[in-house]
Amino acid sequence: MTWTARVLTLFPAMFPGPLGASLAGRALEQGLWHLAVRDIRDFAEGRHRQVDDTPFGGGAGMVMRPDVVDRALQAVAVEGEPALYLTPRGRPLTQGLVRELAAGSGLSLLCGRYEGVDERVLEKHRLVEVSIGDYVLSGGELAALVLIDAVVRLLPGVMGNQASSEEESFGPGFDGLLLEHPHYTRPALWEGRAVPEVLLQGNHAAIRRWRQAEAERITRERRPDLWTGFCEKTRSTPRTGKSRAQD
Ligand code: 6GU
């Protein structure tokens, strides 16, 4: 059984888009995952095939009709698989949720446009609302592409180097809470800038320690929220990077 992303959208031309290239695109060609895109307008009725209407109570913009979205979901969603509605008011997409979704057999994604979707159809289908960050996109399509990309790279056989998905930031490796340490390749000296000596000396225990320390430093400096979580999980006292006297 192939992991399948079922997408409901008013803009089917946006798919596979970037998912047709690179890692995800190669995996799609190899049949390691499947993409089923349906145009929500196919489920509209009447001479004008209207999918949206003005909001009750007034206000700007248009709202997607519950009857149209309901027919689309009934035709596409699979019993027992998650159905997600992409919206900035949803629960934040995290690597933990991505891992859960990759462990299943597939999912359905409803991409909203306009001001949103009639609340009643979200309730009826118990759609899980998911956001990819605290900013507003003009529709759920780009968020759907982001979510599918994050899931597909975790599917068996998709990543050539399995280790690289486990070592990176947010991966399950050490504890999933640290950002990545810096990376270097040849030349060892470039425009007067040298690669850190420890990486050239072949002492693998020392290299591991250096990378861990760098990952901790970068996380502490850039993402105090993740750093606090890391310290709680490892039950160590938060290190500020300054001496005690400056704390
Ligand atoms: Cl999932 N959809 C839209 N339209 N905007 C967003 C988003 C989703 N996540 C962040 N901004």
Side-chain angles (χ1 to χ4, degrees), residues 41-52 65 68:
R41 200 168 297 277
D42 291 347
F43 302 93
E45 290 175 341
R47 204 160 60 82
H48 300 288
R49 310 222 122 213
Q50 203 177 317
V51 296
D52 59 335
R65 290 172 55 114
V68 177

Side-chain angles (χ1 to χ4, degrees), residues 127-151:
L127 293 181
V128 177
E129 299 186 22
V130 173
S131 166
I132 65 160
D134 293 338
Y135 42 81
V136 182
L137 303 171
S138 50
E141 285 79 8
L142 286 170
L145 291 166
V146 165
L147 185 152
I148 295 168
D149 180 274
V151 170

Side-chain angles (χ1 to χ4, degrees), residues 8 10 40-41 43-45 50-56 62-75 85 110 112-114 116-127:
L8 284 167
L10 289 169
I40 295 170
R41 200 168 297 277
F43 302 93
E45 290 175 341
Q50 203 177 317
V51 296
D52 59 335
D53 212 326
T54 53
F56 281 123
M62 301 289 268
V63 177
M64 286 169 73
R65 290 172 55 114
D67 52 347
V68 177
V69 172
D70 178 50
R71 281 193 293 272
L73 283 166
Q74 287 193 35
Y85 170 49
L110 172 63
R113 280 270 153 175
Y114 314 110
V117 176
D118 188 296
E119 189 72 18
R120 294 165 295 179
V121 74
L122 302 177
E123 292 167 3
K124 176 182 171 183
H125 290 270
R126 293 193 163 75
L127 293 181

Side-chain angles (χ1 to χ4, degrees), residues 12 14 42 45 52 64 66 78 92 110 179 183 189 208 225 231:
M14 290 177 74
D42 291 347
E45 290 175 341
D52 59 335
M64 286 169 73
V78 170
L110 172 63
L179 300 180
H183 303 278
L189 183 64
R208 243 186 332 273
D225 55 329
C231 292

Side-chain angles (χ1 to χ4, degrees), residues 148-222:
I148 295 168
D149 180 274
V151 170
V152 162
R153 59 187 289 288
L154 298 185
L155 298 176
V158 172
M159 287 257 283
N161 177 7
Q162 284 300 126
S164 61
S165 77
E166 289 175 16
E167 281 172 13
E168 71 197 0
S169 304
F170 306 109
F174 187 71
D175 58 19
L177 288 168
L178 289 179
L179 300 180
E180 279 196 87
H181 56 75
H183 303 278
Y184 299 89
T185 187
R186 281 176 284 279
L189 183 64
W190 175 71
E191 297 196 349
R193 297 161 192 265
V195 168
E197 198 61 36
V198 63
L199 300 178
L200 307 174
Q201 287 168 346
N203 180 341
H204 297 290
I207 290 169
R208 243 186 332 273
R209 281 194 302 274
W210 181 85
R211 286 180 169 163
Q212 179 67 24
E214 285 290 284
E216 292 185 15
R217 176 185 63 78
I218 287 170
T219 306
R220 192 173 63 231
E221 287 175 3
R222 300 183 185 182

